[in-house]
Amino acid sequence: MTTVLGIESSCDETAAAVVRDDGVVLSDVVRSQIAVHAPFGGVVPEIAARDHLRAIVPVVEQALAEAGVCLEQVDAVAVTHRPGLIGALLVGVQAAKGLAWAANKPLVGVDHLVGHLLSPFLKRDGLVSPEPLFPFIGLLVSGGHSAIYRCDGPDAAEMHELGATRDDAVGEAFDKVGKLLGLGYPGGPVIDRLAQQGDPDRSFTLTPPMAHKDSLELSFSGLKSAVARQLALKAPEGEQAVADACAAFQRVVVDTLVTKTLRAARRERVPNVVLAGGVACNGELRRRMAEACEHRQLRLFLPAPRNCTDNAAMIAYAGAVKFRMGRVVGFDMAPLTHTELPRVTRKGRGLRDA
Ligand code: KG4
Ligand code: ZN
């Protein structure tokens, strides 16, 4: 059995975890920087890098202590080396290099998106949930990324983008709409909660973005602007009106994500579906995707919410898979801002209804 120490610092979470290659999580420490960035309404890259620098050693120490292992007992050190904020990535990468060098352990570089897509393989607290089966359609929806992948295996070379956002990520849209509604940062979880009390039909009507029948591409910046226009015309008055606006926005987002994911499964003739990324915590998305998959006789694998948001357990697991394949990197490895999963979707303005 292989045991890997994973380190994650690509955005605003400083995280370290110890995970076995069967997916069992021995420890998982996440220190969120949300409070540090909240006054700015979003992640400030330089502040993120400085905060990672403060947190990284205590977080790694805690992860090793909670797993009951010392550095000498792990088989490899895995670290997110792409994609992400470069200053933030540098902190995790340099820490991982120092640890691997000092303890004479192999170093593995993990793509953050591959980590998210493998997150449903994690097993925690003795809970046994069925392992995803390959091939699967992976809907990865987070604050920085939104795309649909066909995954034929756990290696990045077996993961193919079928469609991605042309502009904003879904989580970014949740956060921007949250800001417009004065709900603080990050807006996603608050919108999710308020929408439960809201009635989407009592609020404004929004057109689903990129609704063209063939497209697997996504676009959320137009939707965000549409919400901004509606709010400028008539600002919601009172808690109920805000909840109704949240419900209207969330419904159109979930409609889009469910439709496109099912379209991908049908087109690729793939019977398994995986949700990943922070937005996969969304209650309505989880419920509606489960209903739709059941209706179409697709098997849905939903990671626990704790596995959806950024964490190092998914990085350690993806690292263990790579380590098993002999894919270690040298100490000259440098982080990169973009993913290794090839993009097929052009960035830029989404065509209207195309
Ligand atoms: O995966 P993640 O932790 O970080 C990135 O890699 O980006 O995702 C964070 C994003 C944020 O935009 C946050 O608002 C969103 O996930 N999010 C949610 C929910 N929980 C987190 N969005 C909608 N509903 C939620 N319950
Ligand atoms: Zn992420």
Side-chain angles (χ1 to χ4, degrees), residues 12-351:
D12 60 343
E13 262 91 31
T14 318
V18 180
V19 176
R20 292 197 321 227
D21 64 345
D22 59 357
V24 170
V25 179
L26 301 180
S27 69
D28 173 28
V29 180
V30 179
R31 205 189 101 154
S32 171
Q33 301 179 352
I34 283 180
V36 183
H37 299 289
F40 302 93
V43 178
V44 183
E46 190 177 325
I47 294 178
R50 287 173 194 275
D51 209 61
H52 284 308
L53 212 44
R54 274 185 217 109
I56 193 83
V57 171
V59 164
V60 169
E61 277 179 335
Q62 192 182 337
L64 290 170
E66 286 181 9
V69 298
C70 56
L71 193 53
E72 287 63 39
Q73 288 169 300
V74 305
D75 297 291
V77 179
V79 62
T80 305
H81 70 325
R82 63 196 298 182
L85 303 170
I86 199 69
L89 285 166
L90 275 165
V91 177
V93 165
Q94 197 48 38
K97 282 187 181 181
L99 293 167
W101 190 52
N104 197 22
K105 299 290 174 184
L107 182 68
V108 184
V110 173
D111 190 294
H112 182 83
L113 306 191
V114 174
H116 271 304
L117 287 166
L118 298 183
S119 62
F121 287 90
L122 294 174
K123 301 174 186 74
R124 292 175 192 271
D125 308 325
L127 288 176
V128 187
S129 45
E131 264 201 5
L133 302 167
F134 292 107
F136 63 74
I137 297 296
L139 173 70
L140 169 45
V141 275
S142 73
H145 308 275
S146 294
I148 302 171
Y149 295 92
R150 178 193 168 110
C151 301
D152 289 299
D155 188 18
E158 299 167 292
M159 298 176 172
H160 306 281
E161 182 196 299
L162 302 172
T165 181
R166 284 174 170 246
D167 39 60
D168 292 356
V170 192
E172 206 178 340
F174 266 101
D175 296 341
K176 285 179 181 166
V177 168
K179 204 168 173 178
L180 288 169
L181 289 167
L183 303 177
Y185 172 83
V190 188
I191 292 179
D192 186 0
R193 185 165 45 77
L194 294 180
Q196 288 170 24
Q197 272 87 53
D199 177 352
D201 293 318
R202 261 199 314 247
S203 193
F204 34 70
T205 318
L206 298 163
T207 320
M210 308 286 282
H212 186 273
K213 65 178 170 31
D214 290 331
S215 175
L216 291 176
E217 293 184 356
L218 303 163
S219 164
F220 295 100
S221 83
L223 184 61
K224 169 205 66 194
S225 307
V227 173
R229 276 195 303 276
Q230 298 280 358
L231 294 177
L233 284 175
K234 189 175 184 302
E237 279 168 32
E239 272 176 35
Q240 188 57 50
V242 171
D244 294 343
C246 289
F249 165 73
Q250 184 172 277
R251 178 170 68 181
V252 75
V253 169
V254 171
D255 279 347
T256 306
L257 297 177
V258 171
T259 305
K260 304 249 168 171
T261 305
L262 294 193
R263 184 178 294 165
R266 193 170 57 241
R267 188 178 301 171
E268 296 292 314
R269 295 179 205 282
V270 164
N272 307 306
V273 173
V274 157
L275 293 194
V279 182
C281 294
N282 185 269
E284 187 178 345
L285 177 61
R286 292 170 82 91
R287 186 175 47 75
R288 299 250 320 269
M289 193 69 86
E291 282 166 12
C293 286
E294 196 182 328
H295 186 63
R296 300 286 181 89
Q297 290 172 337
L298 297 167
R299 257 184 310 251
L300 175 65
F301 299 90
L302 276 175
R306 167 126 207 176
N307 297 343
C308 294
T309 45
D310 281 351
N311 64 83
M314 66 185 194
I315 302 303
Y317 177 72
V321 170
K322 265 185 122 167
F323 177 64
R324 245 185 359 221
M325 292 189 278
R327 305 262 296 284
V328 297
V329 288
F331 284 115
D332 57 350
M333 176 267 276
L336 293 165
T337 53
H338 55 281
T339 171
E340 68 180 301
L341 303 179
R343 267 193 80 92
V344 297
T345 303
R346 267 187 310 129
K347 271 270 187 189
R349 244 174 59 118
L351 301 175

